[in-house]
Amino acid sequence: MQAIKNVVIVGGGTAGWLAAAAIGKIYQGKVSVTLLESDAIGTIGVGEATIPTMMAFHKLVGIPEQEVMRATHATFKLGINFKNWGEIGEDYIHAFGQVGRIFWGGEFQHFWARSQKLGMKAPFGAYCLEQEAARAGKFAICENPVLNYAFHFDAGLYAKYLRGFSESFGVVRQEGKIERVEQDADSGYITRLHLENGYTLDGDFFIDCTGFRGLLIEETLKTGYENWQHWLPCDTALAVQSSKVGPATAYTSATAHEFGWQWRIPLQNRTGNGVVYSSEFADRNWAEKTLANNIDGEMLMNPRLIQFKTGRRKLGWNKNCVALGLSSGFLEPLESTSIHMVTSALIRLLRLFPLRGVQPVLVEEYNRQSREEAESIRDFIILHYHSTRRTDTEFWNYVRTMPVPDTLRHRMDMFVESGMLFLGGDELFRSNGWTQVMIGQGFAPQHYQPIVDNMADNEFRAYMKGFSDHVASNLRLLPNHEDFIAKYCAMEEFKAQPA
Ligand code: FAD
């Protein structure tokens, strides 16, 4: 067990530079950090939608949000608009906010279920300010009301920004392509990287951020991959940037098509688009036509094909190597969870950091938490496919009827029977997320908690209307999303005020 003094990060994509920023800043003076990246290989170039945990990570590491917004042409994101998922023609938003309120007697879906029985028309989302603001194109960071939000940003510019941030804390960047990896003959630990240009790089601890190939974690350490393609069959994306048309929405769009779905991510200056599909059911021709027929604006580049295998690396931490980002696995981009999984893995690593040497108990704990996190996010993403009612193609028939993990089956059965959700304390998606997706896709509970019936009908109607009126009055206070971005980016130092 050798004390860790030299950390080497391999890969300069989003994962690599996030690791450099976090370890470089938080362990400044305790370890030296070198990041190796290859200009010849480049980065994946997608991954532009985030979730609110990103904001918490920025605060933790001290990354100034306003600077990131300016540097990356970012827009705000209040949720994801899912079109054609339950059935063709339907749409709903999975918003980041609270729907209604949680009461001691039951979660809000029970109240909403009774309101439906009484013939009240307001959809579930009408009780969530983030959802209504997203639909209305409104946004503000203010003291009251407080919105829960994330960013859409240019991934290349974000990595560049993080590079400058990391270098200011002493992280050293090295350019070069790894040709060979040297391991200790007894322990198998990685000791030295040999580069094509003849240089070598020594380290005590290595962070593999080399993307899908997993140059250290897989090609060197042969860690193994748990394949989840039978549950998440999409394996290909065709991505393209297009010119900006109209105001930027404060949400990501995820529109289902015959054999997969399409993302639309608006930035201040352009739009990111991509079709995600299963190569078992469709080919590149279909993807090209679908993309061309469904993007607004002009294509700014030739579409790029990206292939992936959904699943996870069996161990995120193996010997003296931790895999972050795509080298640790990939679920798929539907709920914009990959960058979150980099930041949550980094927080885990910072807490378990082996300054005194790699000890099995730290490794086991890290791997246990990583597995639980990936499995719970996996279940949530599978839910979107499996709870469809679409029967128009073999793709939708497959995902609608496929066996799903027992954990997900139990959760869905429990919800249909009782309207209840029982979540583990560390799960990323809470009942707000699960209920919005389930109800949004027409997966409604058959029963609700009887305690909700304790109010008389008139009293109950007034009570529910009070909630939706409160959302509506808060909505009127919010400015237009793009106007707020302009003001926010122009101000030297933004301080939240009441709206
Ligand atoms: P990469 O960007 O691939 O970087 C790999 C790095 O390793 C590069 O710097 C490369 O030069 C270096 N490297 C490789 N081999 C060598 C070598 N031999 N020597 C030296 N250096 C080497 N995530 C989200 O959170 N939101 C999204 O909306 C989202 N959309 C996505 C859409 C698609 C289609 C895909 C495939 C992914 C998406 N992701 C998304 C995931 C996201 O793109 C990644 O999690 C994120 O970009 C991190 O990638 P990375 O840094 O792990 O890998």
Side-chain angles (χ1 to χ4, degrees), residues 11-12 14-15 38 41-42 44 46-47 49 176 178 209-210 213 326 330 338-339:
T14 307
S38 160
I41 295 175
I44 189 137
V46 284
I178 297 176
C209 300
T210 58
R213 63 184 299 191
L326 298 171
F330 185 54
S338 288
I339 299 174

Side-chain angles (χ1 to χ4, degrees), residues 226-299:
E226 203 175 317
N227 188 319
W228 286 341
Q229 285 176 296
H230 49 298
W231 290 317
L232 293 170
C234 288
D235 59 3
T236 314
L238 193 67
V240 75
Q241 296 170 3
S242 64
S243 59
K244 180 179 154 111
V245 174
T249 56
Y251 56 80
T252 306
S253 300
T255 304
H257 293 304
E258 299 100 303
F259 304 106
W261 63 279
Q262 179 176 346
W263 79 76
R264 180 181 184 281
I265 300 177
L267 304 188
Q268 288 179 38
N269 58 331
R270 62 157 173 87
T271 306
N273 313 271
V275 168
V276 178
Y277 62 99
S278 164
S279 61
E280 278 276 304
F281 296 93
D283 59 16
R284 185 179 175 143
N285 271 344
W286 172 83
E288 275 173 2
K289 273 193 213 127
T290 304
L291 194 58
N293 290 339
N294 292 286
I295 61 168
D296 42 30
E298 274 173 45
M299 289 196 193

Side-chain angles (χ1 to χ4, degrees), residues 177 193 221 323 350 366 409 451 467 474:
K177 191 169 165 190
L193 307 176
L221 297 176
L350 290 171
Y366 180 93
R409 177 85 271 145
I451 199 162
F467 273 118
N474 274 334

Side-chain angles (χ1 to χ4, degrees), residues 158-193:
Y158 185 57
K160 194 169 157 201
Y161 176 84
L162 291 175
R163 175 179 165 187
F165 179 87
S166 309
E167 286 175 336
S168 73
F169 292 99
V171 172
V172 175
R173 174 193 184 258
Q174 205 167 317
E175 206 284 322
K177 191 169 165 190
I178 297 176
E179 195 181 54
R180 185 164 69 82
V181 179
E182 198 173 314
Q183 291 170 269
D184 179 85
D186 295 328
S187 64
Y189 276 30
I190 297 167
T191 52
R192 178 170 292 168
L193 307 176

Side-chain angles (χ1 to χ4, degrees), residues 14-314:
T14 307
W17 281 113
L18 277 169
I23 301 171
K25 168 96 186 275
I26 293 186
Y27 284 105
Q28 192 185 10
K30 292 196 170 64
V31 294
S32 73
V33 181
T34 306
L35 183 143
L36 173 74
E37 65 181 321
S38 160
D39 291 342
I41 295 175
T43 65
I44 189 137
V46 284
E48 308 202 311
T50 63
I51 59 174
T53 51
M54 182 59 140
M55 304 300 150
F57 182 81
H58 283 168
K59 284 202 178 80
L60 174 81
V61 179
I63 296 171
E65 206 174 289
Q66 250 181 302
E67 263 184 41
V68 173
M69 181 109 200
R70 281 192 282 259
T72 63
H73 304 153
T75 61
F76 292 102
K77 171 178 172 186
L78 291 166
I80 305 174
N81 181 206
F82 290 94
K83 288 193 191 127
N84 303 337
W85 282 82
E87 220 3 309
I88 297 171
E90 289 181 0
D91 92 295
Y92 68 94
I93 291 183
H94 168 199
F96 297 139
Q98 175 74 47
V99 187
R101 236 173 68 190
I102 296 179
F103 301 89
W104 68 269
E107 289 158 319
F108 193 73
Q109 66 268 22
H110 300 284
F111 289 77
W112 181 78
R114 181 178 176 200
S115 78
Q116 295 293 290
K117 209 173 133 201
L118 290 175
M120 294 181 78
K121 293 278 179 289
F124 194 54
Y127 299 94
C128 174
L129 179 60
E130 282 79 353
Q131 154 127 218
E132 293 296 284
R135 286 201 189 279
K138 292 183 156 205
F139 183 85
I141 300 173
C142 46
E143 278 183 345
N144 185 22
V146 174
L147 292 171
N148 204 19
Y149 64 90
F151 273 160
H152 299 120
F153 56 43
D154 181 317
L157 294 176
Y158 185 57
K160 194 169 157 201
Y161 176 84
L162 291 175
R163 175 179 165 187
F165 179 87
S166 309
E167 286 175 336
S168 73
F169 292 99
V171 172
V172 175
R173 174 193 184 258
Q174 205 167 317
E175 206 284 322
K177 191 169 165 190
I178 297 176
E179 195 181 54
R180 185 164 69 82
V181 179
E182 198 173 314
Q183 291 170 269
D184 179 85
D186 295 328
S187 64
Y189 276 30
I190 297 167
T191 52
R192 178 170 292 168
L193 307 176
H194 294 261
L195 310 188
E196 269 186 3
N197 57 16
Y199 284 97
T200 57
L201 193 55
D202 291 355
D204 312 313
F205 197 70
F206 291 81
I207 316 252
D208 184 346
C209 300
T210 58
F212 287 127
R213 63 184 299 191
L215 181 81
L216 304 182
I217 197 79
E218 195 58 52
E219 290 181 15
T220 307
L221 297 176
K222 316 275 184 254
T223 302
Y225 197 74
E226 203 175 317
N227 188 319
W228 286 341
Q229 285 176 296
H230 49 298
W231 290 317
L232 293 170
C234 288
D235 59 3
T236 314
L238 193 67
V240 75
Q241 296 170 3
S242 64
S243 59
K244 180 179 154 111
V245 174
T249 56
Y251 56 80
T252 306
S253 300
T255 304
H257 293 304
E258 299 100 303
F259 304 106
W261 63 279
Q262 179 176 346
W263 79 76
R264 180 181 184 281
I265 300 177
L267 304 188
Q268 288 179 38
N269 58 331
R270 62 157 173 87
T271 306
N273 313 271
V275 168
V276 178
Y277 62 99
S278 164
S279 61
E280 278 276 304
F281 296 93
D283 59 16
R284 185 179 175 143
N285 271 344
W286 172 83
E288 275 173 2
K289 273 193 213 127
T290 304
L291 194 58
N293 290 339
N294 292 286
I295 61 168
D296 42 30
E298 274 173 45
M299 289 196 193
L300 301 175
M301 57 195 275
N302 287 326
R304 229 160 37 85
L305 197 76
I306 303 166
Q307 285 166 318
F308 53 86
K309 200 194 283 179
T310 51
R312 64 179 284 270
R313 200 68 61 198
K314 285 184 178 159

Side-chain angles (χ1 to χ4, degrees), residues 218-457:
E218 195 58 52
E219 290 181 15
T220 307
L221 297 176
K222 316 275 184 254
T223 302
Y225 197 74
E226 203 175 317
N227 188 319
W228 286 341
Q229 285 176 296
H230 49 298
W231 290 317
L232 293 170
C234 288
D235 59 3
T236 314
L238 193 67
V240 75
Q241 296 170 3
S242 64
S243 59
K244 180 179 154 111
V245 174
T249 56
Y251 56 80
T252 306
S253 300
T255 304
H257 293 304
E258 299 100 303
F259 304 106
W261 63 279
Q262 179 176 346
W263 79 76
R264 180 181 184 281
I265 300 177
L267 304 188
Q268 288 179 38
N269 58 331
R270 62 157 173 87
T271 306
N273 313 271
V275 168
V276 178
Y277 62 99
S278 164
S279 61
E280 278 276 304
F281 296 93
D283 59 16
R284 185 179 175 143
N285 271 344
W286 172 83
E288 275 173 2
K289 273 193 213 127
T290 304
L291 194 58
N293 290 339
N294 292 286
I295 61 168
D296 42 30
E298 274 173 45
M299 289 196 193
L300 301 175
M301 57 195 275
N302 287 326
R304 229 160 37 85
L305 197 76
I306 303 166
Q307 285 166 318
F308 53 86
K309 200 194 283 179
T310 51
R312 64 179 284 270
R313 200 68 61 198
K314 285 184 178 159
L315 301 173
W317 184 343
N318 190 1
K319 300 188 188 288
N320 63 337
C321 174
V322 163
L324 289 180
L326 298 171
S327 66
S328 70
F330 185 54
L331 294 177
E332 73 140 277
L334 189 56
E335 279 282 354
S336 325
T337 43
S338 288
I339 299 174
H340 159 80
M341 289 173 83
V342 175
T343 57
S344 71
L346 271 169
I347 292 170
R348 195 174 302 134
L349 179 62
L350 290 171
R351 294 172 75 194
L352 296 167
F353 203 83
L355 279 175
R356 291 181 299 280
V358 175
Q359 297 169 48
V361 68
L362 302 179
V363 180
E364 275 163 30
E365 184 57 27
Y366 180 93
N367 285 331
R368 184 190 67 77
Q369 290 184 22
S370 304
R371 180 179 49 74
E372 284 183 3
E373 178 187 51
E375 286 176 355
S376 75
I377 295 176
R378 171 202 70 191
D379 282 6
F380 187 61
I381 297 177
I382 296 172
L383 170 75
H384 296 65
Y385 288 99
H386 187 61
S387 60
T388 188
R389 284 167 281 122
R390 288 182 65 148
T391 53
D392 54 307
T393 63
E394 282 310 301
F395 172 77
W396 291 105
N397 286 338
Y398 172 76
V399 292
R400 199 188 65 254
T401 55
M402 68 187 170
V404 296
D406 291 346
T407 39
L408 175 60
R409 177 85 271 145
H410 173 75
R411 190 162 284 177
M412 292 192 306
D413 290 349
M414 179 62 80
F415 188 74
V416 170
E417 175 53 33
S418 67
M420 301 290 282
L421 284 162
F422 294 97
L423 304 170
D426 290 336
E427 286 189 45
L428 171 66
F429 292 103
R430 311 306 303 169
S431 59
N432 274 310
W434 281 87
T435 49
Q436 287 182 80
V437 174
M438 284 173 161
I439 292 173
Q441 298 201 183
F443 196 81
Q446 285 165 8
H447 306 288
Y448 57 82
Q449 289 296 297
I451 199 162
V452 174
D453 282 331
N454 282 358
M455 266 185 254
D457 284 358

